Amino acid sequence: MKIALVISTSDAAFNSLAFKGDLVKGVEMAKRIGYDAVEIAVRDPKVVDVAQIKDVVERLQMQVAAIGTGQAFLAEGLNLIDSNDDIRLRAKNRLKEHIDFAAHFGAKVIIGFIRGMRKGRLFEDVLSIFVEQMRQLAEYGLSKGVSLVIEPLNRYEIDFLNTLEETYEVVKLIDKENVGILADTFHMNIEEAKIEKNLLSIADKLLHFHVADSNRWAPGTGHYDFASTFETLKSIGYKGYISVECLPKPNGAEEAAKIAYETLKSFIDF
Ligand code: LER
Ligand code: MN
């Protein structure tokens, strides 16, 4: 397992992300602390300087674990299941740009908020739209060598795909080799009755992992049982990234990133 730090582009409008601001500084900070990789949250890849990011990650020998896409929903309302055809099409096209961007770095593309809200519509109706959109994106991803990871989010943030189990069923239905699950300790702590048991059940589709503590601060500052979760990850032979996605509290981004790194290091064999 390798450790990544979530950073985000400067035009981000995403309150739950810790490390907003200058991307180059974010990559440098992650490197300084000891991280292997960064995860980059990007609203619109068109406004990001790919060459500049390539330059800094190559110079510092850092990897890019994944590309976050939620800002396109939070700032612009783009989503894959909207009742408006044009918004659905624009969301799909934006995600293709995220896939192109990810392909430069061998990164995965995250399907979190960008999947959209059900807003009272029948689950089955929304599901068929989502599955069709995801199949098209998966085909596009395959042609670029990029995988897509669907992230269950807690019920207070979204009303479509809250648990590992329901997301697993949807991933099976999409039935594409490059579509899997992103599990996040913060969301699992709210939604999963038995975190370790449920992780075991979806193990064959687990492609990416987010960590924050129960309070969404750095791992080690709350009461989430990381020892038990890491034991499970080891038992299933998880080899992907562990991405730190937490609030910059109580004393700013760099201290939070350090606490997170030290805590994770104590659970992960290098
Ligand atoms: C995104 O990875 C995530 O976990 C969302 O809950 C953002 O708030
Ligand atoms: Mn997350």
Side-chain angles (χ1 to χ4, degrees):
M1 285 179 262
K2 289 187 169 163
I3 308 181
L5 180 67
V6 177
I7 58 177
S8 90
T9 53
S10 44
D11 73 334
F14 197 3
N15 289 330
S16 57
L17 277 182
F19 307 98
K20 281 185 192 176
D22 185 70
L23 268 186
V24 173
K25 284 205 187 99
V27 180
E28 286 171 348
M29 180 179 82
K31 177 72 183 182
R32 196 160 61 237
I33 296 170
Y35 284 88
D36 306 292
V38 289
E39 176 178 314
I40 308 176
V42 177
R43 181 184 60 78
D44 183 351
K46 286 190 288 296
V47 303
V48 179
D49 186 344
V50 181
Q52 186 196 37
I53 301 173
K54 265 191 154 171
D55 185 59
V56 66
V57 297
E58 277 168 21
R59 178 165 56 83
L60 298 177
Q61 295 188 302
M62 293 286 275
Q63 308 296 312
V64 180
I67 305 300
T69 59
Q71 292 161 15
F73 174 69
L74 295 171
E76 298 175 63
L78 297 184
N79 73 90
L80 290 173
I81 57 170
D82 204 280
S83 45
N84 179 299
D85 300 353
D86 181 54
I87 293 178
R88 288 201 305 274
L89 180 63
R90 283 171 50 217
K92 187 165 57 196
N93 288 339
R94 177 66 61 84
L95 279 167
K96 286 181 178 170
E97 293 175 324
H98 282 107
I99 290 169
D100 292 341
F101 183 80
H104 288 286
F105 304 101
K108 297 182 171 58
V109 169
I110 296 174
I111 308 293
F113 278 124
I114 191 103
R115 64 178 166 276
M117 302 285 266
R118 191 159 61 83
K119 289 187 184 158
R121 290 173 292 168
L122 285 177
F123 181 85
E124 289 70 27
D125 294 347
V126 167
L127 181 63
S128 61
I129 299 170
F130 181 62
V131 168
E132 182 51 33
Q133 294 269 71
M134 285 299 294
R135 283 185 181 148
Q136 291 177 26
L137 286 167
E139 286 294 329
Y140 188 76
L142 266 182
S143 74
K144 304 271 172 169
V146 172
S147 295
L148 310 175
V149 286
I150 304 174
E151 181 179 25
L153 301 174
N154 77 75
R155 69 191 71 179
Y156 307 108
E157 297 189 42
I158 212 158
D159 61 3
F160 180 54
L161 306 181
N162 305 118
T163 66
L164 292 174
E165 187 184 11
E166 57 185 347
T167 306
Y168 187 75
E169 293 306 318
V170 172
V171 166
K172 290 275 200 198
L173 201 59
I174 294 167
D175 194 23
K176 297 284 181 188
E177 65 193 90
N178 61 333
V179 176
I181 295 177
L182 157 55
D184 181 323
T185 57
F186 178 75
H187 299 297
M188 290 192 293
N189 190 48
I190 295 170
E191 293 295 343
E192 306 299 327
K194 297 266 184 263
I195 293 175
E196 284 67 36
K197 178 172 168 281
N198 297 355
L199 275 175
L200 288 175
S201 315
I202 60 105
D204 62 318
K205 294 291 180 193
L206 183 65
L207 298 185
H208 193 44
F209 207 84
H210 278 170
V211 285
D213 216 318
S214 51
N215 47 5
R216 219 167 197 181
W217 292 17
T221 63
H223 59 76
Y224 186 89
D225 186 353
F226 285 100
S228 164
T229 291
F230 277 107
E231 217 169 278
T232 305
L233 290 178
K234 281 177 197 165
S235 79
I236 63 175
Y238 178 73
K239 296 273 186 295
Y241 285 98
I242 304 293
S243 271
V244 171
E245 180 190 50
C246 63
L247 296 167
K249 295 195 173 184
N251 294 314
E254 181 142 7
E255 189 186 284
K258 277 186 193 151
I259 295 170
Y261 182 77
E262 292 306 324
T263 304
L264 296 176
K265 216 160 86 105
S266 69
F267 293 117
I268 298 173
D269 301 323
F270 288 88

